[in-house]
Amino acid sequence: MSLRTHVRSVAAGAGAVALLTSLTACSGSTDSNAKEITVYSADGLHSADGKGFYNKVFKDFEKKTGIEVKYVEGGSGEMVQRLTREKSNNKADVVVTLPPFIQQADERGLLEPYRPAGSHKIAPGDRSADGTWTPVVNNYFSFIYNSKQLPAAPKTWEDLLDKKFENRLQYSTPGVAGDGTALVIKAMHDFGGEEPAMAYLKKLQKNNVGPSPSTGALEPKVDKGELLVANGDVQMNYADAKASYPNNKIFFPAVAADRKPTTFALPYAAGLVKNAPHDKNARKFLDYLLSPEVQEQVSPVAGGFPVRQDVEAVGEDAVTLRKILDGVEIFTPDWRDISENLDEYVKAWKEATGS
């Protein structure tokens, strides 16, 4: 599989809003003189141990420009909801979410068109036509299992209905978490539509521990053996397993034993917030995210794939990441349909599962 095929990211996942650095009040007017920006982002790229992709990028950006990055983390849907509430008095300058939430932010008029330097090196189909958002780290939806307690990964969706997974399986909340929403998208694709997907998820509910706003919070539970299976994404699961959770292994369930496992691109996508309080600083940051300097760090530091077609992922991590996707069928969701009907699909999921 060529690097060009590797559209996307990570991303995904979601959690309760965590203010990792103090925020100052912003008036909502653009381009204040303060040497700072505030980034609202889905979880997966920042690490508590200080070794994550964002940790390095923020530090290097401040050293290079003198602009401090203040960071707020939460689920993709959660970040868009927060931007919506703050629309008349914006606090954020840049938002980074997984699809379909970046499209949702665009539809709500929360984003200001801006094409960062280098964005022309991204395949046109992987970025918004009007320049309101651009992928910054490529990745794919995935699941993880505890390799210490399970001799092999579950091969099919049907395998996950086994009684041994009762109260040992959990996935993040659709409509709140990007990866949780991605689970519904994959199920709809694999089972051939909304109705059969919801029928399956209704059956799976007997094994599901319950909703979780954070995909990242499920990783330590799987590693410890509290859970045997959880959802996630390749970037986050690969990077975190390498750093902290060695028992977690990635897998992709198939709809049947004689069918290929499937996944789809789920990029971390960034947009400039409309009426951003630090507009010029935010543009510099978006330019920096797409610079060759940063994109070359995506595989070894973030555990994802670069989005620029002229930046080749090289090294041991890049080789391992390609192998993870060997034999996996990559499909492309109809993001327009998903964005337009997201509320309906989440409602159907809630009704099917009683959530």
PDB file of all heavy atoms in Angstrom, residues 232-253:
ATOM      1  N   GLY A 232     -10.538   2.174  19.165  1.00  0.00           N
ATOM      2  CA  GLY A 232      -9.480   3.171  19.190  1.00  0.00           C
ATOM      3  C   GLY A 232      -9.150   3.641  17.790  1.00  0.00           C
ATOM      4  O   GLY A 232      -9.995   3.638  16.904  1.00  0.00           O
ATOM      5  N   ASP A 233      -7.900   4.020  17.583  1.00  0.00           N
ATOM      6  CA  ASP A 233      -7.414   4.340  16.249  1.00  0.00           C
ATOM      7  C   ASP A 233      -5.930   4.000  16.198  1.00  0.00           C
ATOM      8  O   ASP A 233      -5.254   3.954  17.220  1.00  0.00           O
ATOM      9  CB  ASP A 233      -7.697   5.799  15.870  1.00  0.00           C
ATOM     10  CG  ASP A 233      -7.011   6.801  16.768  1.00  0.00           C
ATOM     11  OD1 ASP A 233      -5.770   6.926  16.686  1.00  0.00           O
ATOM     12  OD2 ASP A 233      -7.700   7.505  17.537  1.00  0.00           O
ATOM     13  N   VAL A 234      -5.440   3.735  14.997  1.00  0.00           N
ATOM     14  CA  VAL A 234      -4.084   3.206  14.838  1.00  0.00           C
ATOM     15  C   VAL A 234      -3.032   4.122  15.454  1.00  0.00           C
ATOM     16  O   VAL A 234      -2.136   3.666  16.176  1.00  0.00           O
ATOM     17  CB  VAL A 234      -3.776   2.956  13.346  1.00  0.00           C
ATOM     18  CG1 VAL A 234      -2.300   2.582  13.163  1.00  0.00           C
ATOM     19  CG2 VAL A 234      -4.664   1.852  12.796  1.00  0.00           C
ATOM     20  N   GLN A 235      -3.132   5.415  15.158  1.00  0.00           N
ATOM     21  CA  GLN A 235      -2.123   6.355  15.667  1.00  0.00           C
ATOM     22  C   GLN A 235      -2.036   6.313  17.194  1.00  0.00           C
ATOM     23  O   GLN A 235      -0.965   6.123  17.766  1.00  0.00           O
ATOM     24  CB  GLN A 235      -2.446   7.773  15.189  1.00  0.00           C
ATOM     25  CG  GLN A 235      -1.537   8.856  15.750  1.00  0.00           C
ATOM     26  CD  GLN A 235      -1.973   9.364  17.119  1.00  0.00           C
ATOM     27  OE1 GLN A 235      -3.176   9.542  17.368  1.00  0.00           O
ATOM     28  NE2 GLN A 235      -1.021   9.591  17.985  1.00  0.00           N
ATOM     29  N   MET A 236      -3.174   6.504  17.849  1.00  0.00           N
ATOM     30  CA  MET A 236      -3.182   6.543  19.306  1.00  0.00           C
ATOM     31  C   MET A 236      -2.803   5.184  19.889  1.00  0.00           C
ATOM     32  O   MET A 236      -1.975   5.086  20.803  1.00  0.00           O
ATOM     33  CB  MET A 236      -4.558   6.972  19.813  1.00  0.00           C
ATOM     34  CG  MET A 236      -4.686   7.002  21.326  1.00  0.00           C
ATOM     35  SD  MET A 236      -6.258   7.701  21.896  1.00  0.00           S
ATOM     36  CE  MET A 236      -7.407   6.472  21.296  1.00  0.00           C
ATOM     37  N   ASN A 237      -3.395   4.109  19.358  1.00  0.00           N
ATOM     38  CA  ASN A 237      -3.134   2.779  19.903  1.00  0.00           C
ATOM     39  C   ASN A 237      -1.685   2.347  19.704  1.00  0.00           C
ATOM     40  O   ASN A 237      -1.073   1.759  20.604  1.00  0.00           O
ATOM     41  CB  ASN A 237      -4.073   1.753  19.255  1.00  0.00           C
ATOM     42  CG  ASN A 237      -5.536   1.954  19.600  1.00  0.00           C
ATOM     43  OD1 ASN A 237      -6.395   1.561  18.836  1.00  0.00           O
ATOM     44  ND2 ASN A 237      -5.823   2.582  20.739  1.00  0.00           N
ATOM     45  N   TYR A 238      -1.122   2.650  18.554  1.00  0.00           N
ATOM     46  CA  TYR A 238       0.271   2.279  18.285  1.00  0.00           C
ATOM     47  C   TYR A 238       1.228   3.071  19.181  1.00  0.00           C
ATOM     48  O   TYR A 238       2.114   2.498  19.827  1.00  0.00           O
ATOM     49  CB  TYR A 238       0.614   2.510  16.819  1.00  0.00           C
ATOM     50  CG  TYR A 238       2.064   2.256  16.489  1.00  0.00           C
ATOM     51  CD1 TYR A 238       2.550   0.960  16.349  1.00  0.00           C
ATOM     52  CD2 TYR A 238       2.960   3.320  16.337  1.00  0.00           C
ATOM     53  CE1 TYR A 238       3.890   0.723  16.058  1.00  0.00           C
ATOM     54  CE2 TYR A 238       4.299   3.086  16.042  1.00  0.00           C
ATOM     55  CZ  TYR A 238       4.757   1.799  15.911  1.00  0.00           C
ATOM     56  OH  TYR A 238       6.082   1.574  15.629  1.00  0.00           O
ATOM     57  N   ALA A 239       1.044   4.387  19.206  1.00  0.00           N
ATOM     58  CA  ALA A 239       1.943   5.236  19.988  1.00  0.00           C
ATOM     59  C   ALA A 239       1.864   4.915  21.474  1.00  0.00           C
ATOM     60  O   ALA A 239       2.892   4.829  22.161  1.00  0.00           O
ATOM     61  CB  ALA A 239       1.614   6.708  19.745  1.00  0.00           C
ATOM     62  N   ASP A 240       0.644   4.711  21.990  1.00  0.00           N
ATOM     63  CA  ASP A 240       0.481   4.485  23.424  1.00  0.00           C
ATOM     64  C   ASP A 240       0.917   3.075  23.838  1.00  0.00           C
ATOM     65  O   ASP A 240       1.430   2.881  24.949  1.00  0.00           O
ATOM     66  CB  ASP A 240      -0.963   4.739  23.834  1.00  0.00           C
ATOM     67  CG  ASP A 240      -1.328   6.219  23.778  1.00  0.00           C
ATOM     68  OD1 ASP A 240      -0.415   7.044  23.618  1.00  0.00           O
ATOM     69  OD2 ASP A 240      -2.527   6.554  23.878  1.00  0.00           O
ATOM     70  N   ALA A 241       0.709   2.093  22.961  1.00  0.00           N
ATOM     71  CA  ALA A 241       1.183   0.744  23.276  1.00  0.00           C
ATOM     72  C   ALA A 241       2.710   0.723  23.353  1.00  0.00           C
ATOM     73  O   ALA A 241       3.298   0.093  24.235  1.00  0.00           O
ATOM     74  CB  ALA A 241       0.694  -0.242  22.221  1.00  0.00           C
ATOM     75  N   LYS A 242       3.335   1.443  22.460  1.00  0.00           N
ATOM     76  CA  LYS A 242       4.792   1.526  22.425  1.00  0.00           C
ATOM     77  C   LYS A 242       5.339   2.220  23.676  1.00  0.00           C
ATOM     78  O   LYS A 242       6.362   1.810  24.230  1.00  0.00           O
ATOM     79  CB  LYS A 242       5.214   2.287  21.173  1.00  0.00           C
ATOM     80  CG  LYS A 242       6.703   2.380  20.947  1.00  0.00           C
ATOM     81  CD  LYS A 242       6.989   3.127  19.640  1.00  0.00           C
ATOM     82  CE  LYS A 242       8.484   3.318  19.446  1.00  0.00           C
ATOM     83  NZ  LYS A 242       8.776   4.086  18.214  1.00  0.00           N
ATOM     84  N   ALA A 243       4.627   3.238  24.142  1.00  0.00           N
ATOM     85  CA  ALA A 243       5.113   4.027  25.272  1.00  0.00           C
ATOM     86  C   ALA A 243       4.702   3.468  26.631  1.00  0.00           C
ATOM     87  O   ALA A 243       5.506   3.476  27.570  1.00  0.00           O
ATOM     88  CB  ALA A 243       4.611   5.467  25.145  1.00  0.00           C
ATOM     89  N   SER A 244       3.442   2.991  26.732  1.00  0.00           N
ATOM     90  CA  SER A 244       2.916   2.702  28.071  1.00  0.00           C
ATOM     91  C   SER A 244       2.115   1.412  28.220  1.00  0.00           C
ATOM     92  O   SER A 244       1.985   0.909  29.328  1.00  0.00           O
ATOM     93  CB  SER A 244       2.010   3.865  28.523  1.00  0.00           C
ATOM     94  OG  SER A 244       2.675   5.107  28.434  1.00  0.00           O
ATOM     95  N   TYR A 245       1.543   0.902  27.136  1.00  0.00           N
ATOM     96  CA  TYR A 245       0.596  -0.216  27.246  1.00  0.00           C
ATOM     97  C   TYR A 245       1.016  -1.388  26.363  1.00  0.00           C
ATOM     98  O   TYR A 245       0.395  -1.670  25.333  1.00  0.00           O
ATOM     99  CB  TYR A 245      -0.819   0.256  26.881  1.00  0.00           C
ATOM    100  CG  TYR A 245      -1.257   1.499  27.620  1.00  0.00           C
ATOM    101  CD1 TYR A 245      -1.715   2.618  26.934  1.00  0.00           C
ATOM    102  CD2 TYR A 245      -1.208   1.561  29.017  1.00  0.00           C
ATOM    103  CE1 TYR A 245      -2.122   3.765  27.611  1.00  0.00           C
ATOM    104  CE2 TYR A 245      -1.600   2.697  29.705  1.00  0.00           C
ATOM    105  CZ  TYR A 245      -2.054   3.802  28.989  1.00  0.00           C
ATOM    106  OH  TYR A 245      -2.448   4.927  29.662  1.00  0.00           O
ATOM    107  N   PRO A 246       2.038  -2.132  26.758  1.00  0.00           N
ATOM    108  CA  PRO A 246       2.605  -3.189  25.905  1.00  0.00           C
ATOM    109  C   PRO A 246       1.675  -4.363  25.638  1.00  0.00           C
ATOM    110  O   PRO A 246       1.902  -5.116  24.684  1.00  0.00           O
ATOM    111  CB  PRO A 246       3.846  -3.632  26.677  1.00  0.00           C
ATOM    112  CG  PRO A 246       3.544  -3.278  28.107  1.00  0.00           C
ATOM    113  CD  PRO A 246       2.764  -2.004  28.035  1.00  0.00           C
ATOM    114  N   ASN A 247       0.652  -4.559  26.464  1.00  0.00           N
ATOM    115  CA  ASN A 247      -0.261  -5.687  26.256  1.00  0.00           C
ATOM    116  C   ASN A 247      -1.310  -5.414  25.189  1.00  0.00           C
ATOM    117  O   ASN A 247      -2.023  -6.324  24.775  1.00  0.00           O
ATOM    118  CB  ASN A 247      -0.966  -6.046  27.574  1.00  0.00           C
ATOM    119  CG  ASN A 247       0.001  -6.561  28.626  1.00  0.00           C
ATOM    120  OD1 ASN A 247       0.954  -7.271  28.307  1.00  0.00           O
ATOM    121  ND2 ASN A 247      -0.229  -6.196  29.875  1.00  0.00           N
ATOM    122  N   ASN A 248      -1.428  -4.156  24.753  1.00  0.00           N
ATOM    123  CA  ASN A 248      -2.455  -3.794  23.780  1.00  0.00           C
ATOM    124  C   ASN A 248      -1.978  -4.042  22.355  1.00  0.00           C
ATOM    125  O   ASN A 248      -0.938  -3.541  21.946  1.00  0.00           O
ATOM    126  CB  ASN A 248      -2.849  -2.319  23.932  1.00  0.00           C
ATOM    127  CG  ASN A 248      -3.532  -2.022  25.251  1.00  0.00           C
ATOM    128  OD1 ASN A 248      -3.862  -2.941  25.996  1.00  0.00           O
ATOM    129  ND2 ASN A 248      -3.755  -0.754  25.532  1.00  0.00           N
ATOM    130  N   LYS A 249      -2.758  -4.804  21.599  1.00  0.00           N
ATOM    131  CA  LYS A 249      -2.468  -5.069  20.198  1.00  0.00           C
ATOM    132  C   LYS A 249      -3.660  -4.627  19.344  1.00  0.00           C
ATOM    133  O   LYS A 249      -4.807  -4.748  19.754  1.00  0.00           O
ATOM    134  CB  LYS A 249      -2.194  -6.558  19.967  1.00  0.00           C
ATOM    135  CG  LYS A 249      -1.053  -7.119  20.812  1.00  0.00           C
ATOM    136  CD  LYS A 249       0.281  -6.452  20.520  1.00  0.00           C
ATOM    137  CE  LYS A 249       1.390  -7.043  21.372  1.00  0.00           C
ATOM    138  NZ  LYS A 249       2.684  -6.331  21.195  1.00  0.00           N
ATOM    139  N   ILE A 250      -3.347  -4.169  18.143  1.00  0.00           N
ATOM    140  CA  ILE A 250      -4.357  -3.634  17.234  1.00  0.00           C
ATOM    141  C   ILE A 250      -4.964  -4.737  16.378  1.00  0.00           C
ATOM    142  O   ILE A 250      -4.271  -5.648  15.929  1.00  0.00           O
ATOM    143  CB  ILE A 250      -3.728  -2.559  16.333  1.00  0.00           C
ATOM    144  CG1 ILE A 250      -3.307  -1.346  17.176  1.00  0.00           C
ATOM    145  CG2 ILE A 250      -4.674  -2.129  15.209  1.00  0.00           C
ATOM    146  CD1 ILE A 250      -2.477  -0.315  16.419  1.00  0.00           C
ATOM    147  N   PHE A 251      -6.288  -4.640  16.144  1.00  0.00           N
ATOM    148  CA  PHE A 251      -6.944  -5.556  15.204  1.00  0.00           C
ATOM    149  C   PHE A 251      -8.129  -4.861  14.538  1.00  0.00           C
ATOM    150  O   PHE A 251      -8.575  -3.796  14.965  1.00  0.00           O
ATOM    151  CB  PHE A 251      -7.387  -6.852  15.892  1.00  0.00           C
ATOM    152  CG  PHE A 251      -8.620  -6.726  16.763  1.00  0.00           C
ATOM    153  CD1 PHE A 251      -9.859  -7.175  16.311  1.00  0.00           C
ATOM    154  CD2 PHE A 251      -8.546  -6.176  18.036  1.00  0.00           C
ATOM    155  CE1 PHE A 251     -10.995  -7.068  17.110  1.00  0.00           C
ATOM    156  CE2 PHE A 251      -9.671  -6.073  18.839  1.00  0.00           C
ATOM    157  CZ  PHE A 251     -10.907  -6.515  18.377  1.00  0.00           C
ATOM    158  N   PHE A 252      -8.635  -5.478  13.471  1.00  0.00           N
ATOM    159  CA  PHE A 252      -9.770  -4.948  12.717  1.00  0.00           C
ATOM    160  C   PHE A 252     -10.740  -6.095  12.467  1.00  0.00           C
ATOM    161  O   PHE A 252     -10.422  -7.007  11.691  1.00  0.00           O
ATOM    162  CB  PHE A 252      -9.311  -4.376  11.369  1.00  0.00           C
ATOM    163  CG  PHE A 252      -8.161  -3.404  11.459  1.00  0.00           C
ATOM    164  CD1 PHE A 252      -6.843  -3.858  11.383  1.00  0.00           C
ATOM    165  CD2 PHE A 252      -8.375  -2.046  11.607  1.00  0.00           C
ATOM    166  CE1 PHE A 252      -5.775  -2.979  11.446  1.00  0.00           C
ATOM    167  CE2 PHE A 252      -7.316  -1.154  11.681  1.00  0.00           C
ATOM    168  CZ  PHE A 252      -6.013  -1.625  11.604  1.00  0.00           C
ATOM    169  N   PRO A 253     -11.899  -6.119  13.085  1.00  0.00           N
ATOM    170  CA  PRO A 253     -12.832  -7.230  12.858  1.00  0.00           C
ATOM    171  C   PRO A 253     -13.441  -7.206  11.456  1.00  0.00           C
ATOM    172  O   PRO A 253     -13.711  -6.150  10.899  1.00  0.00           O
ATOM    173  CB  PRO A 253     -13.903  -7.006  13.932  1.00  0.00           C
ATOM    174  CG  PRO A 253     -13.861  -5.542  14.209  1.00  0.00           C
ATOM    175  CD  PRO A 253     -12.425  -5.151  14.052  1.00  0.00           C
TER     176      PRO A 253
END
